[in-house]
Amino acid sequence: MQSNPVQKIGQIGIPVKNIERATAFYQEKLGLPLLFNTDTMAFFDCEGVRLLLTLPENEQFAHPSSVIYLQVEDLKAKYEELSDGVQFIGEPHVVAKIGDTETWMVFFKDTEENTHAFMSEVVA
């Protein structure tokens, strides 16, 4: 047993090519609250988890990030709301059904070519 276990995710870093463009996308299109920013970084709050947009310090970090799954209450409504301005990859669809709960997803690209997804769990 570990004496100092990992407690939670505190921050997720997302590499970007253009900090101003990416900051506008996450703030204006996705509606995430901007906590603070610098010339090379922007920090957003996502219900207690910080998302860090950052210009990579070196080439080692200049690649697309992991897929971040952003949970929303009504996936179809979010898709409709953002369809004019967000590059979606396909349409909302069921990816899993466990008992009477369906997990819906739709993937999208941010302005920096990172792929993320909106997800929603719906009781059928």
Side-chain angles (χ1 to χ4, degrees):
M1 179 148 159
Q2 295 181 344
S3 61
N4 189 19
V6 173
Q7 296 175 331
K8 65 178 185 174
I9 294 173
Q11 179 170 286
I12 298 171
I14 302 171
V16 301
K17 300 170 190 161
N18 181 306
I19 193 70
E20 293 84 11
R21 178 180 63 203
T23 299
F25 178 84
Y26 281 80
Q27 187 173 23
E28 296 168 14
K29 295 292 183 191
L30 299 187
L32 294 175
L34 178 66
L35 296 171
F36 61 95
N37 61 324
T38 69
D39 291 343
T40 60
M41 297 180 285
F43 295 84
F44 292 88
D45 178 49
C46 189
E47 291 293 321
V49 175
R50 269 193 323 236
L51 293 182
L52 160 64
L53 306 183
T54 182
L55 293 173
E57 291 183 35
N58 61 51
E59 198 60 36
Q60 172 185 354
F61 300 109
H63 53 78
S65 71
S66 297
V67 176
I68 297 173
Y69 296 82
L70 302 169
Q71 191 154 2
V72 297
E73 188 173 330
D74 187 337
L75 182 70
K76 292 177 185 177
K78 181 59 77 177
Y79 175 79
E80 291 298 323
E81 173 190 337
L82 298 178
S83 62
D84 185 34
V86 172
Q87 180 187 349
F88 284 102
I89 304 166
E91 296 184 1
H93 59 282
V94 175
V95 296
K97 189 169 186 172
I98 301 170
D100 61 350
T101 302
E102 296 178 341
T103 301
W104 284 75
M105 285 188 195
V106 64
F107 292 88
F108 65 92
K109 295 263 189 196
D110 69 9
T111 56
E112 310 308 298
E113 295 301 312
N114 294 298
T115 299
H116 299 304
F118 288 116
M119 65 177 286
S120 183
E121 294 181 339
V122 179
V123 177

